[in-house]
Structures are given as structure tokens and as C-alpha cells.
Amino acid sequence: MKIDISTVSYEEAKNLIKKLRHTIQHHNYLYYTRNEPKILDREYDQMFQDLIALEKKFPSLVTPDSPSQRVGASPLKEFKTVQHKIPMLSLGNAFNNENLINFDKRIQKELKTETFQYVTELKMDGLAVSIRYENGVLVQGATRGNGISGEDVSLNVKTIKNIPLKLFGNTIPPVIEVRGEIIMYKKDFEELNKGRKKNGGSPFANPRNAAAGSLRQLDSRITAQRKLQMISYGIGEVEGISFKTHFEILEYLKKLGFKTSPEAALCNGINEIIERCEYYKNHKNDYPFEADGIVIKVNEIALQKKLGATSHEPRWAIAYKFPSEEAETTVKNIIVQVGRTGILTPVAVFDPVELEGSTISRATLHNEDQIKRLDIRINDNIVVRKAGSVIPEVVRVLKEKRPQNTQPFKIPDKCPVCGGLAVRFEGESATRCINVSCPAQVKERIIHFASRNAMDIDALGDKIINQLVDKKIISDYSDLYYLKKEDLLKLERMGEILAEKILRNIQRSKNKNLSNLIYALGIFQVGKYTANLVAKTFKSIDALKAATEDEILAIEGIGPITAESVKKFFSSKQNIGILKKLKTADIKMEKKEIKTQNLLLKKEKIVFTGTLKNFSRGEAQDIIKNLGGETLETVTKATTIVVAGEKPGSKYKKAKAFGIKIISEDEFKKLIAGGKI
Ligand code: IVH
């Protein structure tokens, strides 16, 4: 359904919003909780867009349980504290069958009976939360904290797609606190780390840290971008409903719209529990998330009450921890790898050992701090295991077995790949090579340089850059400006037309704004926003190069690490060499001064649709910005001009419907040249 928002009245909007929220909530549930999507992503997105547009038009209709509220909100200064009316307890641990047998014996003795049931559930490895609903609406989300009080992470939990903002069903209690674990699926964890590494960030050590780090963000918009999930396993405070068994609670939570611990099972007696533990142990790697054990709970609530709890843990439940296999080996070497973003990662290379079905011979040591913590040295005897059954890690060094004459290991201050400067900036755990022509990073550097927000070299995609580097045609981004047609024609799937187009776009990029160039250089910590600030103050690359750290720091919005990073960038002889090559190739290295009387497009709000022949989108946007105008992504009533390129899309129809002025690309050219249209 595509709604024409402009004609919708308040009353109609009220109904439409209600219907849309209900449908979106239903499909959210099918997608995120049941894993059984019934509509196309495109259809879902359309409904979501319609809802946002309606709520934008009638802001008084926005309610806290609307799916539109899942995008996160402005950052908080700090989390408020939440007191848990019913404490969030921890669990005692069992590591072997004997521990389990003793647990069962204790309970039998206390209850003076053998005829009761247990429930076994997977123990998810994430962080515990309590989500409070009043009259079916999510009002608060809190972390476990110390069990008595936690942090108010309400804005963050609202962004998690499989947590209902409003409970499902007809029997909604006036108050219910749903307790469970916030986790990140293994595949989402890997994807997140891949992205972080690509952007030069440091990866999370395991899914649990990723989940905790993502949830406890003061800026809930960051949480909204992370793929978190909640799996519920119990309740806290509740009013208006009571339960006979724990299993009943799990069934009820499912009805309210929650995902509950998969494979929860009823067990009679300790032998069945031991069997069950064996089963889970053999299947622990089959689950999409990391499970670090099994929780065994007495099923009947009356019996749970009878057994009670200590100040830390209930007497009616225990966690059986999966044993993690460990092995002893000897460190043969510690090597330092350089990733595509320049981060130096130390890796321990050891005598191969067999662990959980595979042979491992190396483990990442992450960074300098981890090396110091372990005090790991070449020739040391170490204990290794697979963290979360996947990633090999060094658990500890057997210092009592350390041979004589070992030396503490130091992270080099020169990049092992290119010999350039390797720097560890304050507050960072990573050490990075800052030479932009370092062969380990060169592809990433060039891809970033050519990207839309940087030099915007359209048609020069990742695949072409990879080939150019692999074939040794270019070895840093400045080489792009020395490319010839015959160089490009050596590449696969390259014809005359595409080669000419790329060369034209490379030429055109020479005149990009100074802020684009500064961003394109790929200075650590200098994103688009900072590049803009720097360009405004220094007005040329030469002035920036000559600036002192204090002068850079004096810019409002720039901190000491960025200032140090800029200074270090210009102290690298390799980087200076590349800047010279850029200058020789005639790249504009000064700020374009915009004369105010030239603000031809002041007050214009312009939308593009279809393909432009003569400009890339980014370029057209820059031109509009320089002439005082604004580009918008979607057509709204506020749009003043729509530029229609080849094959215009739905924006064209919308503009027509709204009666907005539509011009061709040629007319746009005339317009920016100062002509009338
Ligand atoms: S029940 C009063 N069930 O494990 C009982 N906990 O080590 C409270 N956990 O803080 C916990 N999966 O965060 C329970 N199926 C499950 C669980 C589970 C993971 C976590 C929970 C708890 C920690 C205790």
C-alpha cells in the first residue's frame, strides 16, 4: 500500500497509523522472533516509511510503543539507576556430573520428595536484562547491574527488534517484568567485526562483549544499528496473573511475543538431566548464538518458593557449564600482521594442537595490552582453548615452565610490512601504521579515496581498484592521476567506453572541495565532519601541513587525539611523497572561496531522480551546496525543484502529483551557470 500522505486527514491518519503499527508489529514478530517472514523486505519498508511519514505529519499521534521509536534517540549524558524490586539473581555453577548429582540430592532432601520435575534450558552467553511492561506497553528496560540495581537502558532495548514494544494477546497483566538475555548471533557478530575492522575500529573479542558493548551505549542510535536479540527465560515482578510452573511461564512469554530459550525441556530425575546435558554438549555449536552451558530449574513455582534463595542465587536452579577443552603447547614465534586498515595485530604461532575437532597453531594476541597482561614470550609454554568454541585464544602462560633467556615481547614502532611509522594513539588499544602507501592497506586506502564522500570517482569500483593494485599498475591513490587508457585496458571486463569514463571522472575529481580531499587522505580520526572543520580553518593542504598541534587543537570540535593524528600524518615521509605526487598531478589543494552574491540556489531544495549524464550525484550535490542550495533525498511538499535524469523513478511521479517544478539535466546545467529556466 502506498499512501498519499498529503491528502490524509487527522482522523484518517489515526486509523491508518493504528493499522500500520499492528501490521508492522506482526511482521516484526514473524521475522525477528519466529524467523518466518511472510512479506518482502520492500513491502515492510514501504509500510514503515508510510508510518514515519504519517507520524511526521501528525506528531501528536506518536506514542512510545510505535515501531517508529525503534531507531534510537539523542545521546544520554549517563544512564539512570533502576532499583530491581525483585533482585536479578545469579546462578550457582556445576562443572561435572558429580556437581549435578549433589544439587539434586540437596533439593530432594529439602523438599523431602523425589517426585518433581526439572526444566533444562540453554544458557545463553550475553547480558541479562529486565524489561518492564505496564498495561502491555514497554516502559523500562534495565541491565542486571549488581542484581539489586542496574542501568536504565530503556531507549536501547526499544531498538531491539524482537522485543515487543507492546505485548501481544488478550490477557495482558497490568505489570510484568520479562527477564532474559541480550545476545548477538554468531553471524551478526562476525559481520559487525568485519565492518569494524574495515573502518579501522578494533573488533569485539566475542559475541557477549559485542552484545554488552552495543546495548550499553549512551547513544541508542548506535544500538539500533547493531543486530541484537533478546531470548527470555523468566519473569520478575508481575501483577494480575500467577503461574503453576516455570514451563508455563515460558509458554506464556511466547504468547506475549517473546523468543524463549530454544529446546527447553522437562526432565524427570537426575539421570534424564545428565542425559540432556550430554545432548546439549554435543550440539552446543549447532545454535546460532553462543551457549556456555545449561540452566537446570525446578519446574513447580510453589517448590521454587519453598527452596528459596541465598542473597546471590536461587536454591532451585543451577548452571551446568560446558567444559572448554584446553591444551598445552609451546610458542614458536610471535608475528605481527598488518590488517587492511593498518592495525598491527600480534599473533602467537605455536606447535599445532588438537582442540574440539580441529588443529590449531596460531591465536591472536589482539594488542599490546593483551601481550602485557599475559606477559607472553617466544619459547613460553602456554595453555590454549577456543573462545566460545570458535576462536583460538591463549588462556595463560605457564611461567613456572618458562625457559631461561626469554625476552618480553614488544610491539614494533615500525610497520613490519612497509617500515613506516606505527603509532598507538592515546585511549586506543590498537597500534596502527599511518603510511597511506603501505602495501597491506593500499587497496582500502584507494577505495576510500575514490568513494562518494571523498573524491567521488564514479565508475572506479572496488573490483577495478583491486585489479589495478594486484597488477601493480598503481601502488597508492596518487597513482590514479597518472593512469593512462592503455593501463585500464589491461584489466578484465574493461572496454574503451568504461576506461574513458573512469579517466574523465578521475580528471573531474581534481577539483573537489578541500574538505573532500582532506577526508579522502584517510587520516586516522578525520571523518567527513572533522575534514570540514579543518578545511574551514586552514583553507589549504600546505597550511594544514604547516599547522602546529596546538593550532589544530584550537579548532572547536577537535580533540587532542585527532590533532596528534593530523600532525603525525604529515610527519610521515611516505605521506609527504604522496601529497607531492597529488600536487604535481594538479589536484586542487586550496579551499574554493564562495562569493555570497553567487548563492544562486539559495532557498532551493532540490531532489534528483534518474541517472545524470554529465554529473555524478555527489558532484551535483556539491555544486548545489556551493551555490547555497540544499539537496533532499525524497520529494516532500518543501521540495522546490526536481531534476529528472534518464529513467526517472517514483520521485518524478510524486513531484508531478505535488505540482513541483521538474527540470531536465540540460536545464539544470543552465540553472547552475546562472541562466533562467
Ligand atoms: S535463569 C534466578 N536462565 O546466566 C535465575 N539465566 O549465570 C536467573 N542466563 O544472570 C537466571 N541463560 O543472565 C537463566 N536460560 C537461562 C539463562 C540464564 C543465560 C544468564 C543470566 C544470569 C546468568 C547467571
Side-chain angles (χ1 to χ4, degrees):
M1 177 173 53
K2 177 108 182 69
I3 300 166
D4 183 358
I5 311 288
S6 62
T7 59
V8 174
S9 71
Y10 180 81
E11 280 308 315
E12 284 168 335
K14 225 169 157 177
N15 280 330
L16 275 169
I17 284 178
K18 195 170 161 198
K19 270 194 213 147
L20 280 168
R21 281 181 192 162
H22 183 82
T23 323
I24 289 171
Q25 200 183 8
H26 176 65
H27 288 292
N28 248 350
Y29 171 71
L30 290 176
Y31 187 93
Y32 292 107
T33 304
R34 300 289 300 270
N35 235 337
E36 295 165 0
K38 289 245 157 51
I39 55 169
L40 297 174
D41 287 359
R42 182 163 39 82
E43 292 171 291
Y44 179 88
D45 291 345
Q46 184 61 56
M47 286 194 287
F48 206 88
Q49 289 309 323
D50 287 343
L51 176 65
I52 303 262
L54 284 166
E55 289 184 350
K56 200 169 167 195
K57 185 165 175 190
F58 300 105
S60 64
L61 294 176
V62 179
T63 57
D65 61 350
S66 171
S68 63
Q69 302 305 296
R70 289 199 190 271
V71 287
S74 319
L76 302 173
K77 287 229 162 60
E78 56 181 9
F79 292 119
K80 284 198 202 117
T81 304
V82 174
Q83 298 294 326
H84 300 301
K85 282 213 184 114
I86 297 186
M88 291 183 76
L89 298 178
S90 183
L91 290 168
N93 289 325
F95 296 100
N96 48 40
N97 291 351
E98 196 189 333
N99 296 157
L100 288 174
I101 293 166
N102 286 339
F103 165 73
D104 178 57
K105 271 192 194 152
R106 228 173 29 236
I107 290 183
Q108 287 193 31
K109 194 170 156 205
E110 196 75 29
L111 296 178
K112 297 185 187 70
T113 171
E114 285 173 23
T115 53
F116 59 88
Q117 283 190 307
Y118 288 109
V119 180
T120 56
E121 285 169 31
L122 278 178
K123 182 171 183 301
M124 287 76 61
D125 202 9
L127 83 159
V129 289
S130 183
I131 317 278
R132 186 179 175 89
Y133 292 84
E134 286 175 6
N135 299 317
V137 177
L138 191 161
V139 292
Q140 189 174 69
T143 60
R144 175 174 178 271
N146 60 9
I148 308 292
S149 62
E151 286 171 332
D152 184 339
V153 285
S154 304
L155 294 173
N156 310 72
V157 298
K158 278 185 177 179
T159 67
I160 300 176
K161 309 279 195 313
N162 83 340
I163 298 180
L165 298 177
K166 199 172 172 192
L167 298 176
F168 294 5
N170 304 322
T171 53
I172 302 295
V175 173
I176 185 164
E177 278 175 10
V178 179
R179 294 189 170 172
E181 201 80 351
I182 301 293
I183 54 159
M184 190 177 279
Y185 272 18
K186 288 188 261 191
K187 71 169 177 14
D188 296 328
F189 161 72
E190 273 153 27
E191 200 179 291
L192 173 66
N193 266 357
K194 223 195 244 166
R196 283 171 76 86
K197 280 190 212 155
K198 195 171 169 193
N199 295 326
S202 45
F204 287 109
N206 53 44
R208 177 176 20 90
N209 288 2
S214 301
L215 184 78
R216 295 181 64 248
Q217 285 284 342
L218 291 169
D219 187 345
S220 50
R221 291 169 299 193
I222 299 177
T223 315
Q225 287 158 18
R226 306 278 169 84
K227 290 185 177 148
L228 295 174
Q229 315 217 22
M230 175 179 173
I231 301 193
S232 58
Y233 50 65
I235 54 173
E237 196 188 357
V238 63
E239 278 174 22
I241 184 161
S242 61
F243 304 94
K244 275 211 171 66
T245 65
H246 176 67
F247 208 76
E248 216 179 84
I249 294 178
L250 293 181
E251 289 302 307
Y252 183 67
L253 290 175
K254 273 188 218 164
K255 281 197 196 127
L256 294 182
F258 291 92
K259 191 174 220 159
T260 56
S261 173
E263 302 215 55
L266 285 169
C267 286
N268 291 299
I270 188 67
N271 289 339
E272 266 187 51
I273 291 202
I274 290 172
E275 231 173 74
R276 202 69 204 145
C277 286
E278 205 52 37
Y279 166 84
Y280 285 125
K281 219 161 64 184
N282 294 332
H283 287 83
K284 66 172 184 180
N285 294 333
D286 299 350
Y287 303 105
F289 48 81
E290 272 186 5
D292 59 341
I294 295 147
V295 186
I296 300 132
K297 303 173 179 173
V298 169
N299 189 28
E300 204 175 313
I301 306 290
L303 298 184
Q304 288 185 358
K305 289 208 170 119
K306 204 164 168 188
L307 288 160
T310 69
S311 59
H312 282 99
E313 54 208 41
R315 290 196 187 86
W316 46 266
I318 198 163
Y320 170 80
K321 288 288 192 72
F322 290 137
S324 94
E325 257 184 58
E326 293 183 344
E328 214 184 298
T329 180
T330 313
V331 181
K332 287 285 148 212
N333 199 0
I334 298 175
I335 56 169
V336 176
Q337 295 179 337
V338 186
R340 298 193 312 165
T341 54
I343 292 182
L344 271 57
T345 308
V347 176
V349 182
F350 42 79
D351 281 335
V353 279
E354 182 89 7
L355 263 189
E356 301 193 24
S358 62
T359 307
I360 57 167
S361 59
R362 28 176 83 198
T364 169
L365 296 167
H366 301 293
N367 51 44
E368 194 178 16
D369 291 343
Q370 176 72 351
I371 288 192
K372 278 206 183 120
R373 230 177 348 251
L374 290 167
D375 182 20
I376 186 168
R377 305 175 183 192
I378 297 170
N379 292 332
D380 260 341
N381 292 293
I382 53 168
V383 174
V384 291
R385 70 162 176 223
K386 282 199 197 163
S389 312
V390 209
I391 307 159
E393 77 176 352
V394 177
V395 186
R396 61 185 174 276
V397 174
L398 301 168
K399 297 218 179 102
E400 64 280 12
K401 291 192 179 175
R402 173 169 285 166
Q404 279 181 343
N405 301 328
T406 59
Q407 296 301 321
F409 185 80
K410 266 199 166 145
I411 293 263
D413 55 8
K414 296 253 164 14
C415 170
V417 174
C418 70
L421 207 56
V423 188
R424 180 176 175 182
F425 291 101
E426 210 186 302
E428 281 263 304
S429 52
T431 305
R432 33 184 105 229
C433 163
I434 59 162
N435 167 18
V436 296
S437 56
C438 170
Q441 317 163 46
V442 71
K443 285 180 183 169
E444 285 300 303
R445 297 280 193 178
I446 302 173
I447 290 169
H448 170 78
F449 185 86
S451 66
R452 187 156 162 188
N453 287 320
M455 299 305 264
D456 190 22
I457 307 176
D458 201 23
L460 182 70
D462 300 8
K463 284 196 185 129
I464 296 176
I465 293 173
N466 287 339
Q467 284 192 65
L468 284 169
V469 175
D470 290 342
K471 291 192 190 301
K472 302 201 167 32
I473 299 172
I474 60 173
S475 53
D476 63 68
Y477 46 60
S478 70
D479 288 339
L480 290 172
Y481 295 99
Y482 298 87
L483 272 178
K484 297 194 187 64
K485 193 154 101 184
E486 50 276 25
D487 293 327
L488 286 167
L489 290 172
K490 287 181 194 149
L491 309 183
E492 283 161 30
R493 291 208 210 120
M494 180 64 64
E496 293 267 342
I497 295 178
L498 181 55
E500 279 165 16
K501 185 172 177 188
I502 292 172
L503 289 175
R504 229 178 13 251
N505 292 344
I506 291 176
Q507 281 304 314
R508 213 152 52 193
S509 75
K510 288 182 174 176
N511 280 320
K512 289 299 283 185
N513 288 338
L514 179 63
S515 63
N516 288 70
L517 175 63
I518 294 174
Y519 174 63
L521 294 178
I523 306 171
F524 174 62
Q525 289 270 337
V526 179
K528 249 170 67 182
Y529 174 75
T530 308
N532 234 323
L533 291 181
V534 171
K536 260 190 206 150
T537 310
F538 292 105
K539 301 194 169 58
S540 76
I541 293 287
D542 282 340
L544 179 59
K545 193 168 87 184
T548 65
E549 210 166 306
D550 283 343
E551 281 165 345
I552 303 168
L553 195 57
I555 303 175
E556 176 124 2
I558 289 195
I561 299 171
T562 310
E564 187 195 347
S565 167
V566 173
K567 208 56 219 151
K568 285 249 157 69
F569 181 91
F570 289 107
S571 74
S572 149
K573 65 175 191 305
Q574 291 96 337
N575 294 352
I576 295 299
I578 284 173
L579 285 168
K580 261 195 200 138
K581 268 163 76 185
L582 288 173
K583 201 169 197 169
T584 314
D586 235 8
I587 315 299
K588 192 163 169 45
M589 293 191 155
E590 299 84 33
K591 195 169 163 54
K592 287 182 206 161
E593 290 298 342
I594 305 163
K595 295 191 192 83
T596 34
Q597 61 267 39
N598 253 356
L599 296 183
L600 278 173
L601 302 181
K602 209 170 144 193
K603 292 197 184 136
E604 301 290 6
K605 293 186 185 335
I606 302 176
V607 174
F608 290 94
T609 176
T611 319
L612 302 180
K613 284 194 305 262
N614 300 291
F615 310 87
S616 74
R617 278 280 171 101
E619 197 179 5
Q621 281 169 1
D622 281 347
I623 294 171
I624 291 172
K625 197 165 133 203
N626 288 340
L627 294 176
E630 198 185 329
T631 9
L632 303 174
E633 283 304 321
T634 50
V635 175
T636 68
K637 279 205 156 160
T639 312
T640 55
I641 299 173
V642 170
V643 182
E646 271 170 23
K647 297 201 188 119
S650 61
K651 292 182 204 167
Y652 182 88
K653 280 189 203 142
K654 206 164 172 187
K656 267 211 140 148
F658 284 175
I660 293 166
K661 185 195 281 179
I662 301 175
I663 63 171
S664 66
E665 186 176 341
D666 284 345
E667 286 171 313
F668 175 66
K669 270 166 77 182
K670 245 194 246 163
L671 177 70
I672 56 177
K676 283 254 168 294
I677 48 160

